Amino acid sequence: MEAMEQAAGQAAAARDRLAAELRSLVSDAEEMLKAASRSGNEQLNLVRDRLERGVNAARGELNAFQEAALETARRTAADTNEYVHEHPWNAVGIAAAVGVLLGVLLTRR
């Protein structure tokens, strides 16, 4: 369970970094538009390069977030598998209860 909490914390940190990168990217894009309206080629090139670095950083953060989410899913699946193998009758009881609950909910519609 501790591994799941750690993975969830890593995913949240990656999400926060991604959000910060995207905010920075939007800010850089706005600055690029302003620079384009002033139409100074050297200044435009500098802003475009900064925007490109921001896009690459955001892409990296997105990949890190995706990896963290996949790792969390893998750990959760492994923990669930381990629990089911250690407590098979509990798992059968839980599955039956969920099935009954879903059956009741679906027949009410």
Side-chain angles (χ1 to χ4, degrees), residues 53-76:
R53 284 193 307 270
V55 167
N56 289 336
R59 187 177 293 131
E61 289 295 325
L62 184 59
N63 287 338
F65 178 70
Q66 181 180 7
E67 287 299 318
L70 287 172
E71 183 61 28
T72 301
R74 286 185 193 113
R75 287 183 183 174
T76 302

Side-chain angles (χ1 to χ4, degrees), residues 3 11 14 25 29 38 42 46 49 54 67 72 74 80 83 89-90 94 101 104 108:
L25 182 63
R38 290 186 291 241
E42 183 179 327
L46 289 173
D49 289 343
E67 287 299 318
T72 301
R74 286 185 193 113
T80 301
Y83 178 82
W89 289 110
N90 290 354
I94 291 169
L101 180 63
V104 168
R108 288 182 131 192

